[in-house]
Amino acid sequence: MTGALPVDAVQRAPRRVLIVGMNYWPEETGNAPYTTGLAEHLSRRGARVTVIAGMPYYPSWRVDDGYRRRWRLREQRNGVDIHRFRQYVPGRQSAARRAMFEATFLAHAATVRGLDAPDLVLGVLPTLSDGVLAMTLAHRYRVPYALVVQDLVGQSAAQSGIAGGGRVARTTMAIEGRVARGAARVAIVSDGFRPYLQGLGVDPARIELLPNWSHVVPSQRSRSDVRAELGWADGEHIVLHAGNMGLKQGLENLVNAARLAAELAPDHRFVLMGDGNQRARLQALAAGLPNLDFLPPQPVDRFMDVLAASDVLLVNERGTVVDMSLPSKLTSYFVAGRPVVAAVSPAGVTAREIARSAAGLTVPGDDPPALVAILDRLRADPALGAQLGAAGTAYAAAHLAPEPLLARAESLVETIVANRHGRISDLRDRPVGPLGVEIT
């Protein structure tokens, strides 16, 4: 690319990067692994990295035991200086509770003092408070800020099914638009986010695709051994959903599919592995179903074993979810080498990602008979399942390897800082140069 800056520039002139991301290590699911991975990568490359984060709570929506009764905390890990601030964590979801969740983190973290002045502030959405705080701190230190958009906040309010979300969606979009328009660069994990951001008035030249990478390694264990440990019989067709059990996942669809399959296709065994604010409700809905099990979240060294031991990996979203997010679990699903079934909106970003990878099949969300039918098809055609699984592995190797994507993020940081001239408004009024690392 013409005008590209070499990644090695970060080593020649160490940068001071302030990352604002409520979700961070030790959280192992959602966007935390990517924020953590980026921060630690920049630190390894010689940058001085500071992170402002909340107390770990995801996906259980309960503050982790080791962080309870802490108001603020400072930690050091892998060269990154972490400043944590307590936020209100609601056990049940509604627009009002979500607003309190965001506002308490923003108000508390905004009191941070004593930081070295950064060269760049990087805010990680899906939490709107991270974007607002990044903008606020950038003004405080008179430096540019950028965003990494994991979820579209306004669309989440409108599409996730959270109580009262529709009423606050317009206000949320207005704030999100102001934050995004002021950013030197907006990095998106899916190209499907681009039309929405452009509709908010973001300069298309400042929107860059920065996909999430696969942060896991393939299982090395025997599938039969893992299945035996889990109590899965050889003849059972294991359909696994891994990750968050929240509103936007709409996992009532899976419960209803399991109820239907119990009568029509008893060989299908559905497994929900993970945690979330809807888990207890789903367990109550599934009471008495002989073909649906719940597993707790698995540690990193066990997680991929369970995925690889399954027969089908399931992504499920509410039928209203179109472009609010791209499930982070897909990067792990593809590495696992098992066929993926996505019960999602056919017009959504998840369906497009499945089609791009050629690693799975899609059916409309909120349609249990359609879901059972596609599982029956895979059960009857092992060759198709093997073909889809191999395509996922190939896609992960070609497009989701961490090294080029982290290098691309690093080049983004360097490009913004190198193009900084005087006043923040000067930078906002013109596009910055292209990224220095290409990815196919």
Side-chain angles (χ1 to χ4, degrees):
M1 263 187 193
T2 59
L5 293 171
V7 170
D8 286 341
V10 173
Q11 290 184 321
R12 294 197 300 270
R15 301 307 190 191
R16 293 168 297 183
V17 181
L18 175 59
I19 298 177
V20 182
M22 189 189 301
N23 300 100
Y24 196 77
W25 168 89
E27 294 178 3
E28 296 179 341
T29 61
N31 64 77
Y34 303 106
T35 306
T36 305
L38 175 58
E40 294 182 354
H41 171 80
L42 292 174
S43 177
R44 287 193 300 271
R45 294 285 290 166
R48 293 168 58 186
V49 183
T50 301
V51 169
I52 295 178
M55 299 297 173
Y57 69 93
Y58 189 85
S60 66
W61 284 86
R62 296 182 301 273
V63 175
D64 289 3
D65 290 343
Y67 293 86
R68 292 181 183 175
R69 293 178 293 277
R70 300 288 191 100
W71 185 242
R72 58 180 64 194
L73 180 67
R74 186 173 181 180
E75 299 174 295
Q76 295 278 338
R77 183 176 187 264
N78 293 338
V80 177
D81 187 20
I82 309 164
H83 294 252
R84 295 191 183 275
F85 296 88
R86 184 61 178 266
Q87 75 277 43
Y88 162 71
V89 179
R92 293 182 297 153
Q93 293 294 302
S94 69
R97 292 187 179 94
R98 178 75 188 200
M100 283 292 294
F101 165 71
E102 298 262 9
T104 53
F105 177 72
L106 175 60
H108 193 191
T111 66
V112 66
R113 293 292 185 272
L115 302 180
D116 291 337
D119 297 303
L120 170 70
V121 182
L122 187 63
V124 182
L125 280 69
T127 55
L128 187 59
S129 55
D130 286 335
V132 174
L133 183 58
M135 180 177 68
T136 301
L137 293 175
H139 279 286
R140 179 186 298 177
Y141 292 109
R142 301 190 59 76
V143 297
Y145 70 94
L147 303 176
V148 176
V149 180
Q150 295 281 351
D151 288 3
L152 298 174
V153 183
Q155 295 295 69
S156 295
Q159 299 176 9
S160 67
I162 189 170
R167 293 193 296 273
V168 302
R170 181 173 295 183
T171 300
T172 301
M173 290 177 186
I175 299 171
E176 183 180 27
R178 179 183 177 188
V179 172
R181 288 190 299 272
R185 191 64 65 96
V186 179
I188 54 177
V189 300
S190 169
D191 250 333
F193 295 172
R194 197 181 296 269
Y196 171 80
L197 290 166
Q198 290 179 196
L200 292 180
V202 180
D203 183 350
R206 299 186 185 184
I207 303 174
E208 291 287 347
L209 180 63
L210 182 63
N212 286 331
W213 53 92
S214 55
H215 59 93
V216 296
V217 296
S219 172
Q220 302 299 314
R221 295 195 58 199
S222 160
R223 290 187 73 232
S224 59
D225 288 348
V226 177
R227 288 174 72 99
E229 292 172 2
L230 293 167
W232 297 348
D234 290 341
E236 291 182 307
H237 193 235
I238 304 300
V239 181
L240 175 73
H241 178 279
N244 185 39
M245 302 180 198
L247 287 169
K248 73 178 180 181
Q249 282 74 33
L251 291 169
E252 302 86 354
N253 184 55
L254 188 147
V255 175
N256 291 330
R259 183 170 288 111
L260 181 63
E263 299 178 4
L264 302 178
D267 286 345
H268 295 311
R269 182 170 180 176
F270 296 81
V271 180
L272 282 166
M273 181 175 76
D275 206 345
N277 56 53
Q278 296 298 299
R279 180 180 171 121
R281 178 172 174 270
L282 292 167
Q283 287 177 310
L285 289 174
L289 283 178
N291 60 341
L292 195 156
D293 300 328
F294 288 80
L295 286 178
Q298 300 296 301
V300 173
D301 58 354
R302 173 79 166 170
F303 179 74
M304 292 304 293
D305 295 339
V306 180
L307 264 59
S310 306
D311 294 294
V312 174
L313 300 175
L314 180 66
V315 180
N316 197 92
E317 294 177 339
R318 298 174 66 92
T320 56
V321 172
V322 179
D323 59 355
M324 61 172 275
S325 63
L326 180 66
S328 59
K329 63 170 64 70
L330 284 176
T331 59
S332 300
Y333 278 13
F334 295 151
V335 172
R338 310 307 300 159
V340 179
V341 167
V344 298
S345 167
V349 297
T350 302
R352 290 200 290 273
E353 182 70 2
I354 296 297
R356 186 179 298 112
S357 69
L361 305 172
T362 59
V363 296
D366 300 335
D367 190 342
L371 177 54
V372 174
I374 206 73
L375 295 175
D376 287 342
R377 179 184 172 191
L378 285 170
R379 176 74 161 132
D381 192 350
L384 174 60
Q387 174 188 328
L388 296 172
T393 301
Y395 182 79
H399 299 282
L400 304 179
E403 292 80 8
L405 291 172
L406 284 166
R408 184 172 184 165
E410 181 183 355
S411 186
L412 170 64
V413 169
E414 178 60 25
T415 300
I416 295 171
V417 175
N419 278 278
R420 178 186 168 202
H421 295 290
R423 295 181 298 118
I424 297 174
S425 60
D426 291 339
L427 182 61
R428 290 177 183 166
D429 291 339
R430 65 175 188 285
V432 294
L435 296 178
V437 179
E438 297 226 35
I439 179 171
T440 57

